[in-house]
Amino acid sequence: MGAATPAAGSPPTKHPRHLLDLAGWTAEQVHALFDTSDVMAQVMTRTIKKVPALQGFTVGTLFFEDSTRTRLSFERAARAQSADVISFAAGGSSVSKGESLKDTLKTIDAMKSDLYVVRHPAAGAPLQLTRWTDAAIVNAGDGRRAHPTQALLDAYTFRTSFPGYAGFEGVELAIVGDVAHSRVARSNVELWTKLGARVRLCGPRTLLPDELGERPGVTLTHRVEEAVEGAHAVMALRLQTERMAGGLLPSLAEVRERYQVNRARMRLAHPDALVMHPGPMNRDVEIEGVLADDPRSVVERQVANGVPVRMAVLYTLLVGSR
Ligand code: NCD
C-alpha cells in the first residue's frame, strides 16, 4: 500500500469523527472497515511491517483501567502506520494524587495528539472527553457499556476464519458467561445483529440482564446447551469480579459445571464452529483449557486481528474521512 490510500477500503459514506460505540455505524461502513482491515492485514505479513500512512500524526493512549491486549494492539497499530505514540496509564500517574479526568486530559492534550484511545471504568467517560478536546476519541472500553474495537475484531475474525464464509445472514453467535458486566458482549450484540446475525446470550440468572433480550435478533437462555446448539461461533466470557457489587457472584464451581465452554458442549455446535474468547482467559473456569488450544479456537487469531482492525480504525478516523 505504501503511502497510498487503501482504495479498496475507502468508506462509502462519511464516518463519525469518533468511535464511541457502533450505534451510528451502518453495516456497509463496517464492511468497508473490514475491507481496509484486509489491506492492513496484508501489511502485517510483510518482512517490514510498516507503512507511512499516518506519518505526522500522534496517537495518545489513555488507560485508566488495566489492559494487556487492547493497549499493546492500539500502539502496534499506530506505529505500524508510522504515527507517533504517547501513552498514559493511570497507575503510577497523578490520578493517584487526585487529579481529575478533565485535568488529566488537559495536561496530556497540551502535548498535542490527533487522536486518543481511551479506556475508563466509568461508562460515558470517552463521550465526556470529546467535549474537552478537538482530537478524535476512540473508546477502548468504558465500564460495562461498550468496547467497539473488540467487537469489530471479533466479527472480523469470524469473517476471515469461518469455512465457506458467506456473510453474517443466518449466523448464530452464542455468548456464554458473565454477560451482565461485559462491554464486549454489549458491543458484539450491537455489531453482529447489525450485520444480520442472531445472538444467543447465556449465563446464570444474576449475570444475564433481561433488557438485553429486548433487542431484535437476541435471545436469552440459562441453559448453555440451548445456547450452543447449532451455533457458528461460541464466545466465552470470564467472571468480571472487579465490576461486581456484593451478592452477584455465582460460585466458580457453578460457572465451571453449568456454563463452561468445553469440548463436550461444543459437540452440539455447528461442526465448523469457532471458539472465541476476548481474553483475559481463566482456563478451566469459563473455558476448558484444552479447548482454548484446540484447532477450533481462534483466541490467538482474535489477538492478531486486533492489529489490522485497529490500524483500519485509526486510518479511517484520521485520514479516511477527510
Ligand atoms: C475485555 C475488556 O477489558 O473489556 N478484554 C479485552 O479488552 N480484550 C474483557 C474482559 O476484561 O474480560
Side-chain angles (χ1 to χ4, degrees), residues 156-177:
Y156 181 72
T157 299
F158 186 81
R159 162 169 140 150
T160 52
S161 306
F162 193 81
Y165 170 86
F168 288 87
E169 267 334 303
V171 165
E172 301 274 349
L173 165 68
I175 303 182
V176 183

Side-chain angles (χ1 to χ4, degrees), residues 69-70 119 147 150 183-184 238 240 243 278-280:
R69 279 152 288 271
T70 307
R119 169 169 288 187
H147 190 355
Q150 179 69 41
R183 52 198 177 204
V184 175
R238 75 182 172 99
Q240 294 139 77
R243 299 201 188 107

Side-chain angles (χ1 to χ4, degrees), residues 61-76:
T61 56
L62 309 185
F63 279 66
F64 296 88
E65 225 185 54
D66 295 344
S67 169
T68 305
R69 279 152 288 271
T70 307
R71 180 167 169 177
L72 287 175
S73 167
F74 268 110
E75 294 184 0
R76 183 81 181 96

Side-chain angles (χ1 to χ4, degrees), residues 5-316:
T5 307
S10 297
T13 48
K14 200 176 178 318
H15 280 81
R17 223 170 87 64
H18 309 287
L19 176 57
L20 304 178
D21 51 47
L22 293 160
W25 286 59
T26 64
E28 199 187 18
Q29 285 172 320
V30 172
H31 283 294
L33 186 103
F34 288 167
D35 293 340
T36 305
S37 306
D38 286 339
V39 178
M40 301 304 185
Q42 204 276 325
V43 170
M44 296 311 287
T45 65
R46 297 182 193 168
T47 312
I48 302 200
K49 299 170 181 56
K50 196 162 184 134
V51 289
L54 297 183
Q55 199 154 31
F57 287 101
T58 301
V59 171
T61 56
L62 309 185
F63 279 66
F64 296 88
E65 225 185 54
D66 295 344
S67 169
T68 305
R69 279 152 288 271
T70 307
R71 180 167 169 177
L72 287 175
S73 167
F74 268 110
E75 294 184 0
R76 183 81 181 96
R79 292 200 173 98
Q81 295 180 93
S82 308
D84 292 313
V85 175
I86 56 172
S87 53
F88 165 87
S93 77
S94 291
V95 167
S96 55
K97 300 179 187 165
E99 193 162 44
S100 73
L101 177 60
K102 186 172 185 178
D103 288 335
T104 304
L105 177 78
K106 288 287 177 196
T107 302
I108 297 155
D109 210 26
M111 301 174 204
K112 303 284 174 221
S113 289
D114 301 287
L115 180 148
Y116 294 105
V117 176
V118 184
R119 169 169 288 187
H120 199 282
L127 171 65
Q128 188 59 259
L129 294 189
T130 64
R131 302 182 180 126
W132 295 333
T133 173
D134 293 332
I137 300 288
V138 175
N139 181 6
D142 63 334
R144 6 173 138 170
R145 202 186 74 88
H147 190 355
T149 60
Q150 179 69 41
L152 287 166
L153 75 89
D154 291 338
Y156 181 72
T157 299
F158 186 81
R159 162 169 140 150
T160 52
S161 306
F162 193 81
Y165 170 86
F168 288 87
E169 267 334 303
V171 165
E172 301 274 349
L173 165 68
I175 303 182
V176 183
D178 179 3
V179 174
H181 300 95
S182 177
R183 52 198 177 204
V184 175
R186 284 182 183 75
S187 281
N188 271 301
V189 163
E190 171 99 60
L191 180 59
W192 292 59
T193 54
K194 192 186 290 280
L195 296 174
R198 297 176 57 83
V199 182
R200 306 160 182 182
L201 299 174
C202 174
R205 209 162 289 280
T206 50
L207 298 179
L208 194 62
D210 287 342
E211 74 264 13
L212 288 175
E214 286 159 17
R215 206 188 167 93
V218 180
T219 50
L220 304 187
T221 174
H222 302 297
R223 288 193 54 243
V224 67
E225 290 76 14
E226 203 179 303
V228 167
E229 195 171 0
H232 300 86
V234 179
M235 185 182 295
L237 297 176
R238 75 182 172 99
L239 283 173
Q240 294 139 77
T241 43
E242 75 277 15
R243 299 201 188 107
M244 286 181 195
L248 274 180
L249 184 67
S251 73
L252 288 184
E254 183 192 357
V255 172
R256 214 176 265 130
E257 273 160 40
R258 298 199 49 203
Y259 296 100
Q260 185 184 79
V261 176
N262 57 26
R263 286 169 299 175
R265 288 173 175 146
M266 283 307 292
R267 283 192 206 105
L268 301 169
H270 185 284
D272 295 324
L274 307 182
V275 175
M276 309 183 90
H277 195 304
M281 274 193 291
N282 292 310
R283 281 175 183 263
D284 296 319
V285 182
E286 75 274 5
I287 185 166
E288 189 185 17
V290 284
L291 182 64
D293 301 326
D294 185 275
R296 283 170 289 185
S297 162
V298 291
V299 175
E300 271 178 41
R301 223 176 293 165
Q302 288 171 269
V303 178
N305 284 335
V307 176
V309 168
R310 290 177 171 122
M311 285 171 81
V313 166
L314 297 177
Y315 181 85
T316 302

